[in-house]
Amino acid sequence: MLDEIIAFISILVSSWSVYNSFLAIYGITWNKIETKDFSDKTFSIIIPAKNEEKVLGRLLDRMVNQEYDKSKYEIIVVEDGSTDNTYQVCKQYENLYDNLVHCVKLTPSNVPNGKSRALNYAMKVAKHEIIGIFDADTVPRLDVLSYASSVFSDPQIAGVQGKLIPINVRENIITRFASLEELYYEYSIAGRARLGLFVPLEGTCTFVRKSLVQEVGGWNEYSLTEDLDLSIRLVSKGYKIVYVPSIMAWREVPISLRWLIKQRLRWYRGHFEVNLKLRGSKIDLRIIDGALIVLTPIFMVLNLVNYSLILIYPTSLFIVATAFVSAASFVSFITALTISKKHLIEFPYSILSLVYMNFVVLLNITALLLEITRRPRIWVKTERSGKVFTEIGR
């Protein structure tokens, strides 16, 4: 009986890995271009910011220079508990663009997710129906609003996720591995969108309809992954979230092992906490695929079973399970190689990414233990480097 259990779990995890690699490869080849629209769509852009003086100005420069009618959007920067000059940076832009940029300073609070709190507060004062969310380290193209405007012409669409590319891929060894992991996830989302499956909001370069976010209760201030939590609630209500590659932005990945660990533990633990809330909703491929994303940490932890295959050697089940594991590793390597070539990451990192995935498995195990032992939920902001100021795209 033990042989069958070990083989079944190993084959299941390997199949899940191949599935996501297929989605990523399918997403890499997708270059759909939307038509720009300079219509009457209006936007409230919300930027949650805490200790972001290194990067906030870089983002605001991009937002105030959007190729869009300045009377049809506003920028709300919500500063929450900074100990640096984040608020002062915002005020400088507010003084220069007083009809466009607005600075809000929140009073201290003890909720686990300060970003969700900032978004919920800003949504109450936002003037416009379409809410855009940008983390302070994001560097969007100058045409993201015109592309987003065209997508929201469809009244069935509740949310739009833009394409996110690491801006500091080649800054050091850590950023190369972090970029490979994030790009794998990014292209798997593109593949899902191309197939009409579940599209999660990623928390930056994200656009949502304010009325629908309010309908499902806003952003969860007690979730470590508020974007995924909101995505599940919107889709389970029957609303559509779409992914648009032409809405493009760059963002920073962690620059040190310490901050990489902190960020990933928050992400992985947040997946454990997401409540699917499927009661009363129609179960379809999008919901099933969404569940597979939510269960990602579980599948990563189950990778440990592959190390137990030696226990069933040399049975036929061992041969079958080993074949699945080998196939999954090969497909993952080909995916990493394709991503590395596209984003100018050196070849050795494609090979070493297989080792890095063992590190990811370890972090997922740690996240699971934190959840089982009910350790306090703390939303840790990732430290930014702010070193990349190169002129990027339009």
Side-chain angles (χ1 to χ4, degrees):
M1 183 63 178
L2 179 62
D3 293 5
E4 287 82 357
I5 293 175
I6 291 175
F8 172 76
I9 294 176
S10 182
I11 292 172
L12 177 66
V13 173
S14 298
S15 300
W16 173 84
S17 176
V18 170
Y19 172 68
N20 282 285
S21 293
F22 165 75
L23 290 173
I25 292 173
Y26 197 52
I28 290 174
T29 60
W30 192 34
N31 295 305
K32 180 182 178 182
I33 302 296
E34 300 289 338
T35 302
K36 293 183 181 181
D37 178 23
F38 301 90
S39 67
D40 59 350
K41 301 292 188 303
T42 56
F43 297 85
S44 290
I45 306 300
I46 303 175
I47 304 172
K50 180 177 182 179
N51 293 333
E52 301 285 15
E53 67 173 347
K54 294 179 182 178
V55 294
L56 180 58
R58 184 177 63 185
L59 170 58
L60 288 175
D61 281 339
R62 307 294 288 193
M63 296 314 302
V64 300
N65 288 296
Q66 283 291 305
E67 299 170 353
Y68 206 74
D69 187 341
K70 299 295 185 292
S71 67
K72 293 180 180 177
Y73 73 98
E74 63 176 344
I75 304 167
I76 305 171
V77 179
V78 186
E79 190 279 320
D80 184 11
S82 296
T83 56
D84 63 2
N85 294 317
T86 297
Y87 189 69
Q88 287 77 7
V89 171
C90 179
K91 292 298 290 185
Q92 291 175 4
Y93 281 84
E94 186 180 57
N95 292 335
L96 287 171
Y97 305 94
D98 58 338
N99 292 322
L100 186 59
V101 179
H102 310 287
C103 303
V104 176
K105 192 176 185 68
L106 295 184
T107 56
S109 173
N110 293 322
V111 297
N113 192 325
K115 179 181 177 180
S116 289
R117 173 180 175 244
L119 292 172
N120 284 330
Y121 182 90
M123 184 169 61
K124 294 176 183 177
V125 300
K127 298 177 183 177
H128 306 303
E129 167 63 6
I130 301 174
I131 302 290
I133 302 105
F134 288 86
D135 289 341
D137 66 309
T138 311
V139 183
R141 283 176 55 104
L142 298 180
D143 52 12
V144 293
L145 295 186
S146 56
Y147 276 123
S149 179
S150 66
V151 181
F152 276 103
S153 297
D154 182 349
Q156 298 300 314
I157 291 177
V160 174
Q161 178 59 51
K163 182 177 182 180
L164 296 173
I165 302 296
I167 194 175
N168 57 335
V169 173
R170 298 169 61 84
E171 190 167 343
N172 58 41
I173 293 175
I174 299 298
T175 61
R176 284 171 169 84
F177 283 125
S179 295
L180 271 173
E181 181 186 1
E182 293 191 18
L183 287 166
Y184 181 96
Y185 180 68
E186 186 68 26
Y187 286 120
S188 74
I189 293 175
R192 285 179 159 89
R194 198 174 178 186
L195 291 171
L197 298 174
F198 177 77
V199 175
L201 300 172
E202 298 184 73
T204 188
C205 199
T206 295
F207 298 87
V208 291
R209 292 190 191 273
K210 180 170 68 173
S211 58
L212 299 184
V213 174
Q214 290 172 330
E215 179 184 325
V216 298
W219 284 272
N220 189 343
E221 298 178 13
Y222 293 87
S223 171
L224 296 179
T225 48
E226 75 293 329
D227 42 10
L228 180 58
D229 181 87
L230 177 62
S231 305
I232 290 290
R233 284 183 282 136
L234 286 171
V235 172
S236 65
K237 287 278 189 179
Y239 297 120
K240 291 168 57 177
I241 299 175
V242 298
Y243 179 90
V244 183
S246 51
I247 301 176
M248 186 180 296
W250 292 259
R251 65 171 173 180
E252 291 192 10
V253 296
I255 58 173
S256 70
L257 182 61
R258 177 191 175 200
W259 287 108
L260 177 66
I261 291 173
K262 286 178 177 289
Q263 183 191 68
R264 292 327 196 232
L265 284 178
R266 172 169 62 83
W267 285 3
Y268 305 153
R269 190 176 178 188
H271 279 66
F272 287 117
E273 297 171 348
V274 169
N275 183 351
L276 291 180
K277 299 182 180 178
L278 301 179
R279 187 183 307 169
S281 62
K282 180 182 178 181
I283 303 299
D284 57 19
L285 286 178
R286 289 190 307 158
I287 294 297
I288 294 172
D289 186 51
L292 291 176
I293 291 181
V294 172
L295 293 172
T296 294
I298 298 296
F299 283 106
M300 295 303 296
V301 171
L302 289 177
N303 270 285
L304 289 175
V305 173
N306 293 333
Y307 297 104
S308 303
L309 288 175
I310 191 66
L311 297 176
I312 62 175
Y313 179 84
T315 65
S316 58
L317 286 175
F318 171 81
I319 296 173
V320 173
T322 302
F324 270 84
V325 173
S326 299
S329 297
F330 178 74
V331 174
S332 294
F333 169 69
I334 294 299
T335 306
L337 185 62
T338 305
I339 293 173
S340 297
K341 184 176 181 180
K342 183 177 179 66
H343 293 276
L344 304 180
I345 302 174
E346 296 87 343
F347 174 76
Y349 291 96
S350 301
I351 301 174
L352 293 174
S353 65
L354 299 176
V355 179
Y356 174 76
M357 290 313 296
N358 288 291
F359 171 68
V360 172
V361 169
L362 179 61
L363 289 182
N364 277 277
I365 294 171
T366 304
L368 177 59
L369 292 174
L370 290 173
E371 190 64 15
I372 291 174
T373 56
R374 298 181 179 274
R375 296 295 296 274
R377 297 183 178 94
I378 302 174
W379 197 95
V380 181
K381 188 197 82 68
T382 304
E383 186 69 24
R384 320 294 189 188
S385 88
K387 290 182 179 179
V388 181
F389 286 91
T390 306
E391 193 68 24
I392 299 177
R394 296 180 58 227

